[in-house]
Amino acid sequence: MDSTELAPFQDKLSSALVQVTRTVGQLSSEDLNFHRTSSADFAESLDQQSERILALTSAVLKAATVGTDVDAPALDTEESLEDNWRGVVDVIDSLLEKADACLDEFTGVIKKLSPSQEEQAPVVKKAPYFPTIYDYGPSKIPKPQLLFDHKPDNADFGPFHPLLKTKPHATVALEKSLEQQQLNGAAAHPHPYETEIRNAQYPQSVYQTCPPINFLPFEDTTATFVDTMDGVKEMLEELKQAKEIAIDLEHHDVHSYHGLVSLMQISTRNKDWVVDTLKPWREELQILNEVFADPKILKVLHGSTMDIIWLQRDLGLYVIGMFDTFHAASALGYPKKSLKYLLKKFVDFEADKRYQMADWRVRPLPSAMFDYARSDTHYLLYVYDCLRNELIEASTPEESLIDYVQERSKNEALQRYERPVYDAEKGQGPGGWYDLLSRNAGMLSKEQFAVFKAVHQWRDEVARAEDEGWQCVFPKHVLFKLAQAMPLDMGTLLRTLSPMTPLTKDRAADLLAIIKEAKIAGATGPEWRDFAPPPKAPANMAEPDMDHVDFPIAERYETSQFWGDVLEAQELSAPVSYSTAASLEALRLSLPLPPMPTTVSQAREKLGVSANTETTSAPKAAPVPASAPEEPKYFTVKDLGGPRKRKVAAAVTPDQEVSTPDSLVESINEPDSTEKQRKKSRKEKKAKKATQSGSQSEADSTPFDYGAAESILNVPVASAMRPQPKRTFNPYAKALEAPSGARKQKRDDAGKSMTFRK
C-alpha cells in the first residue's frame, strides 16, 4: 500500500472506530437488564447479537494469531471473555509488537535479516506470565491433592490427630504426648512437643556479640530443587552439620479448602534448598524433625504464626529453638516489621512481592519464582546476625531482649492446629458468618439476615465438597448482594451473581431454593442485632467455656422509653377520606407530636376540668343592644411580612382576676367577645392614667418666664478664659470635602398594610 492510499484508509478506519465507541457508550448507559425482562423478543434479539459479536471476535483473534506462537482464546460465552481476558491481551500485545517492528523496518531503524539468517537465528520466546491466585475460575493446574497418599477429608469435624510416626529429641514419649485430653471444654490432642519447647534454651552463641557473617553472592550460591526422597535425605545430612538454618514456606489456599503447603525453603550459610511439598509422599518429610526438633540448631523464621500451623497440619513438622525476626524487630521498635523492610535495611535487597500472590502449585517452577522463593531465606541468617547484635546492645541487666524474643517465639511454636468446625447457628469459629458480619457493618432485615446465613452455609458446603476455596464459589461481596436482593426467580439470581463462577452456575437451582426457604423462615426469625458478641477473656486467662457462659439476652420494649406512646397510631374520631388519613399518617411519622384535642370536651378532659364547672373568673361579653351602630365591614392587617416585636404582657394587678381554664375554653368558643373585653380594658387603663397625670400637671401649671431667664449668648469670662483644646491635624480632611453621595432610598415594601372585606 502506498503512502497516498494509507491516509484515506486511516480516516475511514478512525471514523468507524469512533462510531463504534459512541454506540457502545450509548448502550452502556441504557438499562438493558430492564428491557431484557420487559420483552422476551428483545432479550432473544440481544442474545443473538451477543453471540454474533463473540463469533466475530473469536474469528478476528484466530486470524491475528495465524503463524505465531500465541494461542487464540476460545470465546463461547460472556463469562469466557472474562476468564480468558489474559489471552486476549496477549494477542493484542503480539499485534502491537508486530506493528512496532514493521514501522521500525519501514523507517530504516532496523534491517530485516535475509531468509538464511532468519533460519539460523535462535528463536526467543516471550517469557510466560506467572500464574496468580487471582484466577478464581476452574483450576487450570491439576489438583495435586488428588494424588496424595492421604487425601484431605473436608467432612471430618473430629479433633486433629498429629501426623507424627516418630518423635526425635523427645523427653516425653510419643504415646504419652498423643493421649487425648479435654482442652477448652472439647476433646483434643495436646501439642506433641509442648514439654520440649518450654524447656528449650537458645545456644550460648545467641547471647554473644560477634560481627555478622557475610552472605554469599546470590548468583554464586548453590540452590537445589528437592523433589525426591533421596534428595531429602541428602539435604538432611547436610542440615545436621549446621548451627543455624533459615526456614520459610509458600502456601496456596485458593483451589483447596484447607490450603496446601506448596514449597519449603531452607538455607544454611553456604547453600539453599527449595523442597517440593506437593508430592504424594509429602508426609514422609517429617523425618526433618531430626533437625527441626533439635534444640542445639537454631531455626530462624520471620512471622512464623501461620508457618507453624501449616508445618504440623500438612507435613507433621514441629520447631524447637526458634528465633522469629518479627519479634526481634518489634523488641527494637522498628517502624516496620516486614521481611521486605528488613532485607532493604540490612542487605539493600528489594524483594519483588508480586510473586507473593503467585500460584505456587505450578510445575515446573519458573526460574523467576524459584529465585524469589530462595531469596526469602538466602539473606535471613545475615539479618539474624544484625538483629542479634542490636538486641544485645539494647538489653539491660534487668531485661534481656534476647529472652523476650525467645518467649515470644516459644508461644508461636506452641500453637496447635485445629480443624475449622462450621457453626451454622451462632456463626462462630474460623470461616463463620459472625466474624464476616461484625467486620462489615450493615443493617439487615430479618429476611435478609436469614438469607445471609443460609447462603453462607451453602457456600461452605459446596467449597468442602469440591475442595475449593470459598472465593471460588463466589466472593464475599456477592454474598452481601444476594442477602440484600433476595432473588426469587432465576433471572434475578443470574444477574445478581454476574459474573458467575462455574461452581455456582452448575448449582444455581439449588441456591435459588435455599434463598426462597430462608426468606420464608426469616420472617419470624431473629435479627442480626439480637446476636451479642461473645465475651473475650483477658490475655493471661484461658478462653471461657462457651457452653456454660450466660450470654446477655437482647429484649425490646413494646413502647418507646423516650417518646412514650406518642408514636402510636391515633384513631380518627370522624370518618375521613383515604387521602386525608394518609396525609395525617405521614404528618404523624414525620413530626412525632403528642395527640391534640379535637373537641372542647376532649380539651376539658385533657386539662382536668369538669364540663359542669361554672366559669366565674372570666367576664362574659355584654350583649350588643339592638340599636347599636353596625360595625364596619373592613379590617386592616398592619406590618404584614415585616419583623414584629413581641409585646410584653401587662402585669396582673391585684384588682384583676386570674383567668381559669373555663375562661380559656370560653375564649376558644367566643373569640370575638374576648377581643372586645381586652379593648375595653385597655381604654379604661388609659383613661385612669390620664386622670392621674392631669391632677399632677395642674399642680405644676406655673408658666415659664422667658424674659427673666439668663441669656446663653453671653458666656461668662471665667469660662471664656479656659484653655481651648488644641485642634488635632486630620490628614483626611480634604478627602471629606468631597460631595456626599446619594442617600439610601427608603424602601417601601409592598404589603405593609392591607385591607380586607369581612
Side-chain angles (χ1 to χ4, degrees):
M1 181 183 295
D2 297 337
S3 59
T4 56
E5 300 176 0
L6 179 62
F9 174 77
Q10 184 178 3
D11 296 339
K12 185 177 180 181
L13 180 63
S14 300
S15 61
L17 291 176
V18 169
Q19 184 62 32
V20 170
T21 305
R22 290 176 178 174
T23 305
V24 171
Q26 293 175 357
L27 289 175
S28 62
S29 62
E30 299 293 337
D31 193 354
L32 295 180
N33 293 330
F34 170 76
H35 294 292
R36 178 188 290 273
T37 56
S38 62
S39 174
D41 297 337
F42 177 79
E44 183 179 359
S45 176
L46 191 64
D47 293 337
Q48 292 177 357
Q49 295 297 329
S50 178
E51 293 177 359
R52 178 173 176 271
I53 293 174
L54 287 174
L56 291 175
T57 305
S58 300
V60 171
L61 292 175
K62 290 180 180 179
T65 55
V66 173
T68 63
D69 298 332
V70 181
D71 297 330
L75 305 179
D76 301 329
T77 60
E78 297 178 3
E79 290 79 9
S80 63
L81 180 61
E82 294 188 9
D83 296 339
N84 300 285
W85 180 249
R86 174 54 55 183
V88 176
V89 173
D90 292 340
V91 174
I92 297 175
D93 288 344
S94 64
L95 290 176
L96 294 176
E97 290 176 358
K98 284 183 180 180
D100 193 19
C102 292
L103 289 175
D104 291 341
E105 182 182 350
F106 178 77
T107 55
V109 176
I110 60 174
K111 294 183 179 180
K112 188 177 181 181
L113 298 176
S114 61
S116 60
Q117 290 175 323
E118 286 184 352
E119 294 175 359
Q120 297 175 2
V123 178
V124 180
K125 293 185 178 181
K126 183 180 178 181
Y129 186 81
F130 70 92
T132 66
I133 63 173
Y134 291 116
D135 182 13
Y136 294 151
S139 179
K140 298 179 181 179
I141 300 174
K143 291 186 176 182
Q145 60 264 38
L146 299 177
L147 303 177
F148 290 168
D149 293 341
H150 296 86
K151 299 178 178 60
D153 186 7
N154 300 323
D156 186 3
F157 296 100
F160 173 74
H161 191 281
L163 305 178
L164 278 179
K165 299 177 182 179
T166 61
K167 187 179 177 183
H169 309 285
T171 58
V172 178
L174 176 63
E175 295 77 11
K176 186 176 181 180
S177 60
L178 293 182
E179 292 179 355
Q180 194 170 1
Q181 302 176 2
Q182 289 291 325
L183 300 175
N184 298 329
H189 293 279
H191 195 290
Y193 277 96
E194 181 178 359
T195 304
E196 290 79 4
I197 292 175
R198 294 189 184 278
N199 296 334
Q201 296 295 325
Y202 283 157
Q204 193 61 31
S205 59
V206 181
Y207 295 88
Q208 297 175 358
T209 304
C210 61
I213 301 175
N214 290 327
F215 53 86
L216 297 178
F218 192 82
E219 296 78 8
D220 299 340
T221 307
T222 304
T224 306
F225 186 74
V226 182
D227 58 352
T228 62
M229 277 304 300
D230 293 337
V232 173
K233 294 178 181 178
E234 293 178 4
M235 177 187 67
L236 179 60
E237 295 301 323
E238 295 188 45
L239 292 177
K240 290 180 180 179
Q241 309 302 321
K243 295 181 179 180
E244 307 97 1
I245 63 173
I247 305 172
D248 191 30
L249 301 178
E250 300 298 341
H251 190 260
H252 177 85
D253 58 359
V254 174
H255 296 290
S256 173
Y257 184 82
H258 290 298
L260 300 168
V261 176
S262 303
L263 287 177
M264 179 169 57
Q265 305 94 276
I266 305 176
S267 295
T268 61
R269 300 283 184 180
N270 305 318
K271 196 172 182 179
D272 301 328
W273 290 273
V274 178
V275 184
D276 187 1
T277 57
L278 295 179
K279 292 296 182 180
W281 41 264
R282 62 197 313 237
E283 292 185 12
E284 300 298 327
L285 288 173
Q286 61 184 275
I287 64 173
L288 294 177
N289 279 326
E290 297 182 16
V291 174
F292 282 41
D294 189 353
K296 298 179 182 179
I297 301 176
L298 187 70
K299 273 69 67 175
V300 182
L301 292 87
H302 181 84
S304 59
T305 301
M306 296 308 302
D307 292 342
I308 294 297
I309 296 294
W310 296 335
L311 283 173
Q312 57 182 278
R313 182 197 67 190
D314 292 356
L315 310 177
L317 292 173
Y318 297 86
V319 181
I320 301 177
M322 181 176 65
F323 186 100
D324 195 327
T325 53
F326 173 85
H327 294 295
S330 300
L332 294 172
Y334 285 172
K336 297 181 181 178
K337 287 87 176 176
S338 63
L339 180 59
K340 181 179 180 181
Y341 173 79
L342 296 178
L343 291 176
K344 184 65 176 178
K345 176 179 177 62
F346 295 110
V347 188
D348 195 20
F349 175 77
E350 190 72 33
D352 190 355
K353 286 303 178 183
R354 62 177 181 149
Y355 291 103
Q356 206 169 24
M357 299 301 173
D359 191 345
W360 291 100
R361 302 175 304 157
V362 61
R363 300 291 185 272
L365 199 63
S367 58
M369 295 174 64
F370 181 82
D371 291 340
Y372 168 80
R374 62 184 285 245
S375 67
D376 284 347
T377 57
H378 180 77
Y379 305 102
L380 193 55
L381 292 178
Y382 178 81
V383 172
Y384 152 73
D385 291 341
C386 299
L387 292 174
R388 177 202 59 207
N389 292 341
E390 291 191 16
L391 289 171
I392 295 174
E393 293 176 359
S395 299
T396 61
E398 295 79 11
E399 181 182 11
S400 174
L401 297 184
I402 296 292
D403 292 340
Y404 169 85
V405 175
Q406 181 174 229
E407 290 301 320
R408 295 297 184 274
S409 301
K410 284 183 178 181
N411 293 336
E412 300 285 2
L414 286 171
Q415 295 181 98
R416 292 183 308 104
Y417 170 69
E418 297 178 357
R419 287 193 178 96
V421 179
Y422 189 85
D423 187 356
E425 181 180 357
K426 299 180 180 179
Q428 300 295 333
W433 52 260
Y434 181 88
D435 183 62
L436 189 60
L437 279 179
S438 61
R439 288 186 289 108
N440 297 271
M443 293 303 297
L444 299 177
S445 63
K446 291 183 178 181
E447 293 84 355
Q448 291 174 337
F449 178 56
V451 170
F452 185 92
K453 291 194 301 180
V455 174
H456 191 279
Q457 183 179 2
W458 179 86
R459 185 182 70 160
D460 182 84
E461 293 174 354
V462 173
R464 287 179 183 270
E466 297 294 331
D467 196 16
E468 294 279 359
W470 300 311
Q471 60 271 30
C472 289
V473 183
F474 46 73
K476 65 179 182 180
H477 73 273
V478 176
L479 179 62
F480 281 95
K481 286 173 60 179
L482 287 172
Q484 294 173 354
M486 295 186 293
L488 299 179
D489 59 90
M490 186 59 66
T492 307
L493 176 64
L494 297 179
R495 288 192 297 272
T496 307
L497 290 171
S498 181
M500 190 184 306
T501 60
L503 291 177
T504 308
K505 186 176 182 181
D506 298 338
R507 299 168 175 80
D510 298 339
L511 178 59
L512 185 61
I514 291 293
I515 294 175
K516 290 180 179 179
E517 295 177 1
K519 185 176 181 180
I520 295 174
T524 57
E527 297 184 59
W528 156 238
R529 59 183 178 181
D530 294 332
F531 286 81
K536 294 184 179 179
N540 57 351
M541 294 179 60
E543 296 182 1
D545 186 3
M546 294 303 175
D547 298 333
H548 301 84
V549 174
D550 295 331
F551 292 100
I553 301 175
E555 297 182 355
R556 190 175 298 117
Y557 287 96
E558 297 296 334
T559 305
S560 173
Q561 299 299 294
F562 179 77
W563 293 102
D565 56 354
V566 171
L567 301 179
E568 296 181 0
Q570 301 293 330
E571 297 182 0
L572 298 176
S573 58
V576 293
S577 62
Y578 176 78
S579 59
T580 305
S583 302
L584 292 176
E585 179 66 14
L587 178 61
R588 185 187 68 82
L589 294 177
S590 60
L591 296 175
L593 300 175
M596 300 298 293
T598 56
T599 62
V600 176
S601 60
Q602 291 183 4
R604 292 177 182 274
E605 295 177 0
K606 189 73 175 179
L607 297 174
V609 180
S610 176
N612 299 326
T613 304
E614 296 181 2
T615 57
T616 58
S617 58
K620 295 183 179 180
V624 181
S627 60
E630 186 179 1
E631 295 183 359
K633 298 183 179 181
Y634 300 94
F635 67 96
T636 301
V637 180
K638 297 183 179 180
D639 297 334
L640 181 62
R644 293 182 291 178
K645 295 183 180 179
R646 182 177 298 176
K647 297 181 179 180
V648 180
V652 180
T653 58
D655 57 345
Q656 291 178 334
E657 298 182 357
V658 182
S659 62
T660 62
D662 290 338
S663 64
L664 175 62
V665 175
E666 292 191 5
S667 65
I668 296 176
N669 296 332
E670 302 177 359
D672 295 337
S673 60
T674 304
E675 185 64 25
K676 294 177 181 178
Q677 292 291 338
R678 292 176 182 173
K679 291 182 179 179
K680 184 177 180 180
S681 177
R682 293 195 199 101
K683 291 180 180 179
E684 292 176 355
K685 291 179 182 179
K686 290 181 180 179
K688 185 177 181 179
K689 187 175 182 180
T691 305
Q692 295 176 355
S693 60
S695 60
Q696 183 177 3
S697 61
E698 290 177 0
D700 300 334
S701 58
T702 304
F704 182 76
D705 189 3
Y706 289 95
E710 296 182 359
S711 176
I712 61 174
L713 298 178
N714 300 323
V715 183
V717 179
S719 60
M721 296 300 295
R722 293 178 181 174
Q724 298 295 329
K726 186 177 180 181
R727 186 177 181 182
T728 58
F729 174 71
N730 185 6
Y732 303 102
K734 295 294 183 180
L736 297 177
E737 296 178 359
S740 60
R743 294 183 179 179
K744 183 177 179 181
Q745 186 177 2
K746 185 177 180 180
R747 186 177 64 179
D748 187 10
D749 295 334
K752 280 292 182 179
S753 177
M754 291 187 179
T755 303
F756 300 88
R757 181 186 297 274
K758 288 186 178 179

